[in-house]
Amino acid sequence: MNKSKSKLYSLTDPKHWIAPTIRLHGGGLNKFGAARHHLTTEKIDGVPVAELVSRFGSPLFVISEKRLRENARRLKRAFATRWPQVINAWSYKTNYLGAVCNTLHQEGYWAEVVSAFEYEKARLLGVPGNRIIFNGPCKLRAALRQAAEEGARIHLDSLDELYLLEEVARELGKIVPVAMRLNFDTGYTDPWSRFGFNLETGQALDCARRIGASSHLRLAGLHTHLGTFVTDTRAYAAAVRILTAFMDTVEEQTGTVIEYLDLGGGFASKNAMQGVYLPPEQLVPSAEQYAEAVCDALMAGTREREARGLTRPTLILETGRAVVDDAVSLVASVVANKRLPDGRRGTVLDAGVNLMFTAFWYNHDVRPVRRPDGIAEETVLYGPMCMNIDVMRQSIQIPPLSVGDLLVFNPVGAYNNTQWLQFIEYRPNVAMVLENGKVEVVRVREDLAVVIGQERLPPSLSLPFPEERDANV
Ligand SMILES: *Cc1c(COP(=O)(O)O)cnc(C)c1O
């Protein structure tokens, strides 16, 4: 065994040794879908990727303004054509780069925020308080006070928050309209029961009665957010049935009129969840399919209410990943190649899970900018971290790549530009290809000054080797 192996190596330059390959016919459609290894991404919105990298460096995030607006409009239209009153909101935590948020605000999206920081950011961008939806389990007094003063829609997460807001409202001498976040089992997703008030146990109804009895709070809406990457539209239809039934009960028992139902986010993007068999093109519903499921159920669930002389409630959506994900790509360069002991190829890139956190859950589509020569073989794509977990793709069939070759990952717009880490490496430039054809940096690459800017060195720790300084004196 060893002998033949060493013989093989001695016959060829070990540095350039390439494993013998069995040629199978590839490229056709098989039970795993279409082969993808011949696909390339040469340009983003008409701009050559190689040109982007020569101008802005590698790695590089690239946002397509055109795609972002198209996605936003398509989702908006899908619901607006099926329901009379719809408010679309943009989930800040999914991607709160100012350029992304303002593109979506220009498309008519409100801001959906889940912390005081996100609230501040929305206000700084110019979003008025009365177009902010304030969710989240940790809203403290100062933030609640500002939100109540500025007319934001506050969605209660717990009884303690209710008591706190009631106090704040009393101080302000106001009646503050609120919504309750609800959790329940639709039968299609795992309930996220840690958020809001549980419906099945009666907790939600108790809370609604409590708000009904309050002289400083008024129940104006019901909210739920089922989860994220929910690919079954029946989950939303079930959520609407449950919410509309609960709305009827609450109105009957407390005399309040519910103005809006907020279905949260969670629509899936065209990304491939790890361990899921079907490719995203087949698995992920379209905006129209989500809209149809939601609006059909809403129509059915509010028919009787209309007969009672009440208007149909406004529908609010807080969409994140489905709007932004495929509008952002991550360009990375090949740094090195190696052969793993099990025979697979290992390729090291300059972008890792520090920048693409979602690599832990998704098999992102990745395409070379130029079609590489050679036969596709199983390859692991590693990031630049000195960390074993830094894997961008566990397994991909791709021809051998050379040092300096560029790869484009997509979709990466959801949860990466917010969950990325300044860890081991600086975070790179984020560029946006604008609709007018220009390319602008919308977040500048970090440098040492940025990273250490928040640090303070106590005087006694100002030198690394103080004894040497003493010796020099
Ligand atoms: C994260 C979040 C959203 C957005 O979820 P997506 O899955 O990205 O669409 C909406 N609403 C709330 C309350 C959230 O926490």
Side-chain angles (χ1 to χ4, degrees):
M1 258 312 243
N2 275 342
K3 233 180 182 175
S4 70
K5 203 171 172 190
S6 60
K7 201 174 163 198
L8 189 56
Y9 273 93
S10 69
L11 283 175
T12 47
D13 176 355
K15 242 180 112 189
H16 295 111
W17 183 78
I18 291 177
T21 323
I22 300 169
R23 279 174 187 260
L24 293 169
H25 176 69
L29 193 71
N30 60 30
K31 68 172 179 170
F32 303 108
R36 291 166 173 271
H37 52 73
H38 60 288
L39 300 172
T40 57
T41 301
E42 284 156 48
K43 296 176 178 180
I44 297 175
D45 285 359
V47 185
V49 173
E51 183 190 314
L52 289 168
V53 166
S54 72
R55 281 179 65 190
F56 304 110
S58 173
L60 178 69
F61 280 96
V62 184
I63 305 171
S64 159
E65 182 187 5
K66 181 165 172 278
R67 178 55 72 90
L68 190 54
R69 287 190 189 272
E70 279 169 5
N71 291 348
R73 284 175 196 167
R74 182 168 172 184
L75 184 85
K76 215 175 145 183
R77 195 180 326 117
F79 281 88
T81 50
R82 290 172 172 86
W83 194 250
Q85 286 294 329
V86 185
I87 293 170
N88 291 91
W90 167 240
S91 155
Y92 264 44
K93 77 171 185 294
T94 311
N95 190 322
Y96 42 60
L97 289 172
V100 168
C101 294
N102 269 358
T103 302
L104 295 168
H105 295 321
Q106 286 182 2
E107 292 298 330
Y109 281 58
W110 291 19
E112 186 270 334
V113 304
V114 292
S115 68
F117 151 66
E118 289 186 1
Y119 191 99
E120 265 180 63
K121 185 150 192 192
R123 294 289 290 118
L124 189 71
L125 286 171
V127 180
N130 64 7
R131 287 194 197 165
I132 297 178
I133 294 166
F134 196 4
N135 287 315
C138 179
K139 311 183 199 79
L140 303 184
R141 179 186 287 268
L144 282 175
R145 190 182 165 99
Q146 185 182 359
E149 275 178 321
E150 296 179 343
R153 301 202 182 206
I154 301 170
H155 292 179
L156 295 175
D157 191 76
S158 66
L159 277 178
D160 286 314
E161 192 174 272
L162 184 158
Y163 302 143
L164 183 58
L165 182 62
E166 202 168 36
E167 242 177 72
V168 167
R170 192 177 306 120
E171 281 165 23
L172 293 173
K174 280 181 90 162
I175 296 174
V176 175
V178 294
M180 293 162 55
R181 177 162 180 170
L182 303 171
N183 69 73
F184 44 80
D185 189 0
T186 62
Y188 296 100
T189 55
D190 277 340
W192 280 11
S193 49
R194 58 162 288 186
F195 297 111
F197 301 89
N198 180 259
L199 206 130
E200 289 91 357
T201 55
Q203 198 179 54
L205 190 57
D206 283 348
C207 176
R209 290 203 191 100
R210 177 67 181 73
I211 297 170
S214 169
S215 44
H216 288 282
L217 302 178
R218 178 172 65 79
L219 187 60
L222 302 175
H223 170 268
T224 193
H225 171 63
L226 296 177
T228 192
F229 208 85
V230 178
T231 53
D232 195 334
T233 59
R234 291 174 300 178
Y236 288 97
V240 169
R241 283 195 296 275
I242 293 167
L243 281 183
T244 49
F246 184 69
M247 172 170 70
D248 290 344
T249 310
V250 167
E251 289 182 335
E252 221 172 79
Q253 299 210 1
T254 67
T256 358
V257 176
I258 299 293
E259 293 157 18
Y260 67 92
L261 298 179
D262 182 336
L263 275 184
F267 299 157
S269 52
K270 296 245 169 2
N271 205 348
M273 179 85 89
Q274 284 173 14
V276 170
Y277 179 72
L278 285 174
E281 306 87 82
Q282 289 173 44
L283 181 74
V284 175
S286 64
E288 292 75 17
Q289 287 171 316
Y290 283 115
E292 198 157 290
V294 167
C295 298
D296 283 357
L298 260 181
M299 202 60 88
T302 56
R303 196 163 284 139
E304 211 182 305
R305 195 165 178 269
E306 206 168 42
R308 282 190 277 139
L310 296 173
T311 53
R312 305 228 192 224
T314 296
L315 170 65
I316 301 185
L317 299 165
E318 305 165 344
T319 312
R321 67 168 67 250
V323 166
V324 77
D325 214 6
D326 67 1
V328 186
S329 303
L330 173 60
V331 186
S333 304
V334 173
V335 171
N337 279 300
K338 50 183 66 179
R339 182 64 59 188
L340 302 174
D342 63 10
R344 289 177 303 163
R345 177 174 278 260
T347 294
V348 184
L349 307 175
D350 61 359
V353 296
N354 54 320
L355 302 181
M356 203 173 80
F357 201 77
T358 52
F360 292 129
W361 302 285
Y362 297 94
N363 292 326
H364 297 82
D365 187 45
V366 53
R367 299 179 186 184
V369 169
R370 268 187 320 107
R371 190 172 173 170
D373 295 331
I375 297 156
E377 60 170 306
E378 187 175 6
T379 305
V380 191
L381 297 180
Y382 294 111
M385 308 280 94
C386 201
M387 295 279 289
N388 197 38
I389 56 164
D390 190 17
V391 178
M392 294 289 267
R393 278 293 298 263
Q394 289 286 354
S395 169
I396 181 173
Q397 292 287 332
I398 198 165
L401 300 160
S402 308
V403 171
D405 278 354
L406 300 174
L407 289 176
V408 180
F409 290 86
N410 181 284
V412 305
Y415 298 100
N416 289 306
N417 294 136
T418 47
Q419 293 192 82
W420 56 358
L421 301 172
Q422 192 282 302
F423 178 56
I424 302 182
E425 299 277 352
Y426 299 125
R427 282 173 288 199
N429 278 325
V430 181
M432 189 168 195
V433 182
L434 301 175
E435 277 192 323
N436 64 15
K438 291 206 177 94
V439 185
E440 301 239 19
V441 172
V442 298
R443 191 178 192 278
V444 178
R445 95 160 59 81
E446 293 168 350
D447 57 17
L448 191 57
V450 170
V451 176
I452 66 170
Q454 299 304 101
E455 290 192 31
R456 302 292 180 266
L457 273 179
S460 60
L461 298 174
S462 65
L463 286 174
F465 303 112
E467 67 286 356
E468 285 178 20
R469 177 202 55 191
D470 293 344
N472 287 342
V473 168

